[in-house]
């Protein structure tokens, strides 16, 4: 089933979250026909979990720490997220990589922890503009995928991957659906090489300036098995249009 995920980033207080979810749920029908996921900030997870209960809309976090507990001031562990009802965690988002300096090694630790704790990671990968211009897109993406999955190669079925070219995130300039499809096909090949026994359960999502008007163009390609939506997911009506764009 295709997965349409909202990454709110650092937006919405608790009361704004309540208002959003009440409005969004009015648009939700046949939640069994597609997977719908909201990833609010940590502070909104509790109230979001309460409001989403029984709606069929799932809850996820935008980040996690790899340890279960400990002296890690300001961090949030996976058991904490699970108790709030989170079924997914976004791992290695480009803002985590490039603003907060997360390395492939740290991202790998988080992926491993997610699998150990039984929460589904959405691993984000994607090249910078300079990589694309240098013809390095496939090399960069392959390295990110292989490093993130190091040691958990047999468990790729329990992971989804979001291909998010860095130059397309929050810029209003999406990749062309054809360019996205080429990278999605390539990631599938890398996954086959990493885990020949995989049952094909890893979905490859596209993310980067997805809006209601361009979502149908992406979703008409079977290789695009979902979307990770930032800016346009902040408005419940716009996000619902994207959710029902196919
Ligand atoms: C994102 O945050 O993952 C994202 C794709 O953002 P935007 O849709 O705003 O480009």
């Amino acid at each position: 089933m295709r997965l349409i995920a909202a990454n709110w980033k650092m937006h919405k207080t608790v009361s704004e979250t309540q208002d959003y979810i009440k409005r969004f749920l009015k648009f939700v029908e046949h939640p069994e026909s597609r997977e719908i996921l909201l990833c609010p900030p940590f502070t909104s997870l509790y109230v979001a979990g309460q409001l989403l209960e029984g709606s069929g809309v799932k809850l996820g976090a935008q980040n996690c720490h790899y340890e279960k507990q400990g002296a890690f001031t300001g961090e949030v562990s996976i058991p904490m997220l699970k108790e709030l009802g989170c079924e997914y965690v976004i791992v290695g988002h480009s803002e985590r990589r490039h603003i907060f300096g997360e390395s492939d090694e740290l991202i790998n630790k988080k992926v491993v922890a997610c699998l150990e704790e039984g929460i589904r990671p959405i691993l984000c990968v994607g090249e910078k503009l300079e990589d694309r211009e240098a013809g390095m897109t496939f090399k960069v993406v392959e390295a990110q995928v292989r490093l993130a999955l190091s040691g958990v190669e047999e468990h790729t079925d329990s992971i989804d991957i979001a291909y998010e070219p860095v130059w397309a995130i929050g810029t209003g300039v999406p990749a062309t659906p054809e360019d996205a499809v080429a990278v999605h096909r390539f990631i599938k090949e890398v996954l086959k090489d990493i885990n020949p026994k995989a049952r094909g359960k890893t979905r490859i999502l596209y993310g980067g300036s997805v809006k209601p008007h361009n979502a149908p163009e992406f979703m008409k390609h079977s290789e695009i098995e979902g979307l990770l939506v930032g800016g346009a997911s902040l408005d419940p009506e716009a996000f619902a249009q994207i959710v029902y764009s196919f």
Side-chain angles (χ1 to χ4, degrees):
M1 203 184 316
R2 288 162 131 188
L3 169 63
I4 310 295
N7 173 19
W8 289 4
K9 314 193 190 203
M10 196 174 72
H11 291 282
K12 299 199 187 292
T13 63
V14 167
S15 57
E16 288 165 348
T17 299
Q18 289 169 314
D19 179 54
Y20 179 107
I21 292 180
K22 283 178 194 154
R23 289 170 59 202
F24 179 65
L25 288 180
K26 294 204 174 103
F27 298 111
V28 173
E29 46 185 37
H30 304 297
E32 69 290 348
S33 66
R34 60 208 69 214
E35 228 172 319
I36 310 169
L37 174 67
L38 298 185
C39 301
F42 291 132
T43 44
S44 286
L45 286 173
Y46 179 75
V47 75
Q50 304 276 305
L51 288 168
L52 292 177
E53 212 170 318
S55 69
V57 176
K58 297 192 172 166
L59 185 66
Q62 300 172 18
N63 187 22
C64 64
H65 194 272
Y66 57 84
E67 291 288 353
K68 284 192 196 136
Q69 58 186 31
F72 301 104
T73 301
E75 292 292 315
V76 176
S77 75
I78 297 167
M80 293 169 187
L81 298 175
K82 282 177 67 183
E83 205 172 298
L84 294 170
C86 290
E87 295 178 56
Y88 287 85
V89 188
I90 298 171
V91 175
H93 189 277
S94 95
E95 286 147 22
R96 301 292 328 162
R97 289 177 190 262
H98 302 300
I99 302 175
F100 299 102
E102 288 196 9
S103 63
D104 287 305
E105 192 190 4
L106 177 62
I107 291 162
N108 173 240
K109 283 184 175 171
K110 293 183 182 195
V111 170
V112 171
C114 285
L115 297 176
E116 276 170 2
E117 298 296 322
I119 197 165
R120 195 170 176 94
I122 300 175
L123 168 69
C124 299
V125 297
E127 81 286 3
K128 293 196 237 169
L129 187 58
E130 67 235 45
D131 302 323
R132 178 156 282 263
E133 286 173 349
M136 296 290 285
T137 297
F138 292 91
K139 269 212 161 65
V140 167
V141 168
E142 177 171 8
Q144 288 173 336
V145 170
R146 286 187 185 275
L147 291 168
L149 302 185
S150 167
V152 288
E153 288 85 353
E154 286 169 23
H155 302 285
T156 54
D157 280 323
S158 303
I159 297 167
D160 294 309
I161 295 180
Y163 168 56
E164 300 207 302
V166 178
W167 47 270
I169 298 177
T171 59
V173 183
T176 64
E178 292 69 28
D179 282 345
V181 164
V183 179
H184 285 217
R185 284 192 183 140
F186 174 72
I187 294 172
K188 287 268 180 197
E189 288 305 312
V190 174
L191 287 175
K192 254 192 228 155
D193 185 55
I194 289 176
N195 182 9
K197 290 197 202 129
R199 287 175 296 137
K201 304 252 185 224
T202 303
R203 288 166 295 192
I204 316 292
L205 321 184
Y206 169 75
S209 296
V210 173
K211 308 288 173 201
H213 72 86
N214 61 28
E217 292 303 307
F218 287 102
M219 296 313 288
K220 72 181 186 204
H221 297 274
S222 61
E223 292 87 347
I224 299 186
E225 297 165 300
L227 298 168
L228 180 53
V229 186
S233 75
L234 294 173
D235 175 66
E237 192 169 351
F239 186 55
Q241 280 176 36
I242 294 171
V243 166
Y244 293 102
S245 62
F246 62 98

